[in-house]
């Protein structure tokens, strides 16, 4: 149960309460800022390798290759930017270039044959020193990337050769030797680099042996997410089949409000076309969280042959994207709109498999014509239930994460309203899928669920999850056609745990235990409007599991001996012993037991109530003592016009 201020607790237990609803909308999609790009320039230039960076003064530096020359552009942050003037910074060079900025430092790297050069500015790109030859690569360079660690000049240069990833780092003015990743690849054609907590790298190419086109994340450690001076194992974040006639290339990587990345997918099959895809890492996750843990890629409306470069202002005001014939910018600042004064009605119904919600707003003055920003499809609604108390309006401290799924303007009886249909993380999961099979062989159930959530832009946390969830490593394949909701519910068949949607983009994994303590009491201090106490059979009386040459069985004998419920048969490829298969059967039986309906309770809202809480209530006409049940569903109803403010708790077994 959510913690409540003492005044809020007192207000919800009085019979003369006055409801209060807090409702705001913000330009946040899932857990990240919504980026709506505005085009700044479309001047045509030769398509070739390119990059973009933003210095601390807000000036934008672009670099590109043009007929063997390194072209550089600096656009200061003024009201009339000039995006057409370019300076030649080097001639007779190779085909690769990149740039980076931090503080007043701006660096440009490029190749001449196998030699990598650096030109650097310490005045935000206004003037550059002479080019310095940094290193001779081991072979032909297929891509280059550069990133600053700090404003004092520590930086790294990463590059790819035919099938090799390398980096060289400058610390306090001293360059390391070339540092080569021990990982093996069939080919590498692209690299991007940024410094978050370590040297964070994004690469594209094809996988060894399978030759599948792949996008990987990898770290050269600086002592944070990875040990200093070590390479992490490359993590697959996107992959196509070898026969898919598809290539991934031109990766770009930046820290904005989280790690964000762009890459180019080129399809050569009949009807195929190139397209830039965007993806991001859920902000709470580390860069090395695991394979397939980035948000499933989202298509852009851009298809430049050399990809779409990405950079963010240090002040986090704007994010830029560019290629030689485009510059566009998105505002990354938080925008909110308070809707509370216009809320007429709220209907929110939640359980551990779905959430449904509508919010009706008064629009008599036309205040939602348009509608105004940031009220838009996909944006986050912060909805909280509360009461007017002796110390002012108070609400719960932890709202449920809801996003705008639909908006409907209505006119009837001389009144104008705007009806918002909201969705939760469950619907995000239903729209999340991967283009290829995700095969798990070494991850435990909890890690698999966490990755499924991350691909939908959600963070999974735990609070009393089962030991089994973190100990068993199943042999599990998630098919390309299987969406995240189906994948998650499939995993939960083997566990006694439940998932529930929490604040913003958070999902919590919990194992409900029969011995859980009650968190709240109704019927004494807190009034009850109505109740139904139901005794019913669980939907399952027995579970049989067939493992790898192993068999397990769990039975609820009280139900089975009278034939009051059916039994399930479950294929469990992970269990190699009878004991292991039996544990799977026990977990599955418990999972289904929680689906039994044990009645409902209608009360003035306990605004701290959460799914899976155990509650106590009393009614002498039903039982002589306290009655304990688990909350398996909550239906919140508020209607200002009808003076309705109530909560229906759907009850289940302990």
């Amino acid at each position: 149960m959510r913690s409540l201020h003492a005044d809020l607790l007192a207000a919800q237990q009085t019979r003369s309460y006055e409801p209060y609803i807090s409702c705001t909308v913000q330009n946040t999609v899932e857990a990240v800022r919504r980026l709506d790009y505005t085009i700044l320039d479309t001047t045509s230039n030769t398509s070739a390798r390119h990059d973009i960076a933003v210095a601390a003064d807000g000036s934008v530096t672009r670099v590109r290759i043009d007929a063997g020359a390194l072209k550089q552009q600096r656009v200061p942050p003024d009201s009339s930017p000039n995006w057409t003037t370019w300076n030649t910074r080097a001639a007779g060079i190779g085909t690769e270039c990149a740039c980076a900025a931090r503080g007043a430092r701006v660096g440009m790297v490029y190749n001449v044959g196998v030699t990598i050069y650096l030109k650097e500015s310490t005045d935000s790109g206004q003037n550059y020193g002479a080019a310095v030859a940094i290193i001779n690569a081991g072979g032909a360079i297929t891509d280059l990337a550069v990133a600053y660690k700090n404003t004092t000049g520590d930086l790294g240069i990463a590059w790819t050769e035919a099938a090799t990833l390398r980096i060289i780092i400058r610390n306090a003015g001293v360059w390391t030797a070339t540092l080569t990743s021990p990982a093996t690849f069939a080919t590498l054609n692209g690299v991007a680099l940024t410094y978050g907590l370590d040297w964070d790298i994004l690469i594209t190419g094809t996988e060894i042996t399978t030759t599948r086109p792949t996008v990987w994340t990898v770290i050269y450690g600086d002592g944070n997410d990875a040990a200093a001076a070590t390479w992490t194992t490359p993590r697959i974040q996107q992959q196509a089949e070898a026969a898919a006639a598809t290539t991934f290339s031109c990766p770009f990587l930046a820290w904005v409000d989280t790690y964000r990345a762009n890459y180019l997918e080129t399809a050569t099959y009949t009807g195929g076309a190139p397209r830039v895809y965007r993806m991001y890492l859920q902000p709470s996750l580390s860069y090395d969280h695991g394979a397939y843990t980035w948000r499933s890629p989202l298509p852009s409306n851009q298809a430049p042959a050399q990809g779409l470069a990405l950079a963010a202002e240090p002040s986090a005001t704007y994010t830029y994207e560019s290629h030689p014939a485009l510059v566009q910018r998105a505002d990354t600042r938080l925008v909110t709109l308070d809707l509370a004064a216009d809320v007429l009605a709220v209907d929110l119904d939640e359980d551990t498999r779905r959430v449904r919600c509508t919010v009706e707003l008064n629009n008599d003055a036309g205040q939602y014509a348009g509608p105004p920003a940031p009220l838009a499809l996909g944006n986050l609604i912060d909805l909280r239930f509360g009461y007017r108390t002796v110390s002012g309006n108070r609400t719960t401290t932890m709202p449920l994460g809801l996003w705008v799924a639909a908006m409907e303007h209505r006119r009837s009886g001389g009144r104008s309203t705007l009806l918002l249909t909201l969705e939760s993380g469950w619907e995000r999961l239903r729209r999340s899928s991967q283009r290829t099979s995700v095969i798990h062989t070494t991850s435990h159930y909890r890690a698999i669920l966490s990755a499924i959530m991350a691909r939908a832009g959600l963070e999974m946390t735990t609070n009393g999850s089962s030991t089994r969830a973190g100990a068993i490593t199943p042999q599990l394949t998630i098919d390309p056609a299987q969406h995240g909701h189906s994948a998650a519910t499939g995993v939960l068949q083997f566990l006694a745990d439940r998932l529930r949607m929490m604040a913003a983009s958070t999902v919590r994994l919990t194992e409900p235990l029969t011995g859980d303590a009650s968190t709240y009491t109704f019927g004494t201090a807190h009034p009850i409007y109505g109740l139904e106490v139901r005794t019913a059979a669980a939907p399952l009386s027995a579970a049989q599991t067939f493992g790898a040459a192993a068999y397990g069985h769990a039975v609820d004998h009280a139900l089975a001996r009278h034939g009051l419920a059916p039994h399930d048969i479950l294929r469990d490829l992970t269990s190699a012993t009878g004991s292991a298969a039996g544990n799977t059967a026990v977990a599955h039986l418990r999972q289904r037991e929680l689906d039994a309906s044990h009645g409902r309770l209608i009360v003035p809202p306990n605004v701290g109530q959460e799914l899976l809480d155990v509650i106590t209530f009393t009614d002498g006409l039903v039982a002589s003592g306290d009655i304990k049940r688990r909350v398996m569903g909550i239906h919140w109803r508020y209607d200002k016009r009808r003076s309705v403010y109530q909560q229906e708790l759907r009850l289940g077994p302990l």
Side-chain angles (χ1 to χ4, degrees):
M1 179 173 151
R2 302 180 185 98
S3 61
L4 299 179
H5 187 277
D7 292 345
L8 183 55
L9 179 62
Q12 74 178 22
Q13 292 180 343
T14 181
R15 294 183 181 273
S16 57
Y17 60 80
E18 187 176 356
Y20 174 73
I21 305 294
S22 171
C23 186
T24 60
V25 59
Q26 61 180 255
N27 58 332
T28 298
V29 179
E30 291 158 5
V32 300
R33 191 72 65 238
R34 181 192 188 107
L35 298 186
D36 292 318
Y37 284 94
T38 299
I39 294 176
L40 303 179
D41 183 67
T42 56
T43 303
S44 180
N45 292 292
T46 302
S47 177
R49 292 291 198 186
H50 61 93
D51 206 351
I52 187 171
V54 188
D57 66 351
S59 62
V60 176
T61 293
R62 298 166 72 199
V63 297
R64 62 184 177 88
I65 302 292
D66 190 344
L70 177 68
K71 299 290 187 177
Q72 175 264 345
Q73 177 186 80
R74 179 183 185 271
V75 178
D78 56 37
S79 58
S80 55
N82 178 3
W83 297 101
T84 60
T85 300
W86 294 82
N87 303 303
T88 299
R89 294 295 182 181
I93 68 170
T95 58
E96 310 303 326
C97 69
C99 64
R102 184 158 293 193
R105 289 182 176 269
V106 180
M108 303 181 297
V109 294
Y110 58 92
N111 75 300
V112 179
V114 297
T115 304
I116 297 173
Y117 287 82
L118 169 68
K119 289 178 72 73
E120 198 166 12
S121 167
T122 56
D123 58 4
S124 299
Q126 297 180 71
N127 300 282
Y128 285 85
V132 178
I134 303 301
I135 193 74
N136 288 328
I141 298 168
T142 57
D143 200 9
L144 264 175
V146 61
Y148 280 97
K149 174 182 177 179
N150 50 39
T151 60
T152 60
D154 294 347
L155 87 162
I157 301 171
W159 70 96
T160 52
E161 297 169 14
T164 304
L165 170 64
R166 305 187 197 274
I167 191 171
I168 187 170
I169 297 168
R170 184 176 69 187
N171 289 311
V174 179
W175 291 95
T176 65
T178 299
L179 307 163
T180 302
S181 168
T184 56
F185 310 91
T187 63
L188 288 176
N189 61 10
V191 61
L193 175 69
T194 193
Y195 190 93
L197 297 174
D198 302 90
W199 299 102
D200 303 313
I201 302 170
L202 185 73
I203 51 176
T204 55
T206 55
E207 189 178 46
I208 192 74
T209 306
T210 69
T211 68
R212 290 173 177 163
T214 305
V215 180
W216 295 270
T217 52
V218 62
I219 294 175
Y220 184 75
D222 200 27
N224 294 293
D225 287 338
T230 63
W231 290 90
T232 62
T233 301
R235 310 288 193 183
I236 297 172
Q237 303 302 341
Q238 183 72 344
Q239 194 170 68
E241 296 302 321
T246 296
T247 301
F248 299 135
S249 63
C250 305
F252 292 93
L253 177 67
W255 172 268
V256 186
D257 50 343
T258 183
Y259 291 100
R260 292 180 181 262
N262 295 344
Y263 67 89
L264 180 67
E265 177 181 318
T266 305
T268 58
Y269 50 78
T270 302
R275 184 171 302 281
V276 168
Y277 281 81
R278 301 183 178 109
M279 62 180 185
Y280 70 83
L281 183 64
Q282 218 283 342
S284 64
L285 303 182
S286 71
Y287 196 80
D288 193 41
H289 190 69
Y292 293 106
T293 53
W294 283 56
R295 173 51 165 96
S296 294
L298 301 168
S300 76
N301 62 347
Q302 297 294 325
Q306 297 294 332
L308 193 61
L310 178 66
E313 280 188 339
S315 64
T317 302
Y318 293 107
T319 297
Y320 289 84
E321 290 183 332
S322 79
H323 60 76
L326 172 77
V327 182
Q328 58 186 18
R329 182 177 74 179
D331 196 323
T332 56
R333 290 170 291 188
L334 176 67
V335 180
T336 64
L337 179 64
D338 192 342
L339 311 175
D342 295 315
V343 174
L344 296 174
V346 178
D347 191 300
L348 169 61
D349 196 344
E350 55 175 322
D351 62 31
T352 58
R353 292 194 176 96
R354 57 128 180 95
V355 175
R356 296 172 183 167
C357 184
T358 58
V359 176
E360 190 175 9
L361 302 175
N362 177 19
N363 188 44
D364 284 345
Q367 61 269 46
Y368 298 110
L375 195 52
L377 295 181
N379 278 356
L380 177 67
I381 295 285
D382 185 323
L383 178 65
R384 307 181 190 217
F385 296 91
Y387 291 89
R388 301 188 189 279
T389 76
V390 295
S391 57
N393 299 330
R394 293 194 177 275
T395 65
T396 51
T397 57
M398 188 181 295
L400 183 68
L402 298 165
W403 295 271
V404 180
M407 296 183 287
E408 182 179 335
H409 283 92
R410 293 180 171 183
R411 290 285 300 274
S412 178
R415 302 297 304 272
S416 175
T417 60
L418 176 65
L419 184 69
L420 305 179
T421 300
L422 309 182
E423 66 179 21
S424 73
W426 290 119
E427 285 65 42
R428 295 279 166 176
L429 283 168
R430 286 186 174 93
R431 290 201 296 272
S432 170
S433 61
Q434 278 293 125
R435 63 173 298 152
T436 191
S437 295
V438 180
I439 301 172
H440 293 283
T441 58
T442 59
S443 299
H444 52 61
Y445 283 117
R446 193 169 61 220
I448 293 170
L449 285 169
S450 178
I452 293 169
M453 300 302 140
R455 291 197 293 275
L458 306 173
E459 175 198 6
M460 194 188 82
T461 64
T462 61
N463 182 20
S465 62
S466 66
T467 301
R468 177 180 175 81
I472 305 298
T473 55
Q475 309 298 306
L476 182 68
T477 298
I478 300 174
D479 296 325
Q482 193 173 12
H483 54 67
H485 187 278
S486 171
T489 53
V491 170
L492 289 175
Q493 288 189 84
F494 300 92
L495 302 173
D497 303 68
R498 286 289 174 110
L499 290 167
R500 55 191 171 111
M501 297 297 151
M502 303 291 290
S505 60
T506 305
V507 187
R508 181 170 292 172
L509 182 69
T510 302
E511 181 187 17
L513 300 174
T514 56
D516 286 343
S518 176
T519 60
Y520 197 76
T521 299
F522 295 92
T524 51
H526 196 121
I528 296 175
Y529 290 157
L531 64 82
E532 296 174 7
V533 179
R534 189 167 185 261
T535 301
L540 201 66
S541 64
Q544 294 174 290
T545 54
F546 292 89
Y551 169 80
H553 199 197
V555 182
D556 182 336
H557 291 284
L559 296 179
R561 67 172 172 259
H562 298 300
L564 296 177
H567 72 275
D568 266 2
I569 299 176
L570 198 64
R571 187 77 171 103
D572 177 21
L573 297 175
T574 306
S575 296
T577 67
S579 175
N583 290 337
T584 301
V586 170
H588 182 69
L589 188 62
R590 172 60 175 166
Q591 175 70 229
R592 294 299 312 278
E593 179 187 52
L594 292 168
D595 291 332
S597 172
H598 282 200
R600 63 183 184 136
L601 204 61
I602 301 174
V603 295
N606 168 14
V607 296
Q609 200 72 72
E610 293 184 291
L611 293 173
L612 303 181
D613 284 348
V614 173
I615 61 168
T616 301
F617 57 95
T618 57
D619 189 316
L621 298 178
V622 177
S624 58
D626 291 343
I627 304 169
K628 289 176 66 176
R629 293 290 187 271
R630 189 178 299 278
V631 177
M632 298 304 296
I634 307 176
H635 187 183
W636 308 74
R637 291 185 61 220
Y638 167 74
D639 194 318
K640 183 177 181 180
R641 294 159 298 190
R642 296 176 175 82
S643 298
V644 173
Y645 193 45
Q646 69 179 36
Q647 188 180 60
E648 178 185 310
L649 306 178
R650 292 190 295 276
L651 307 177
L654 298 179

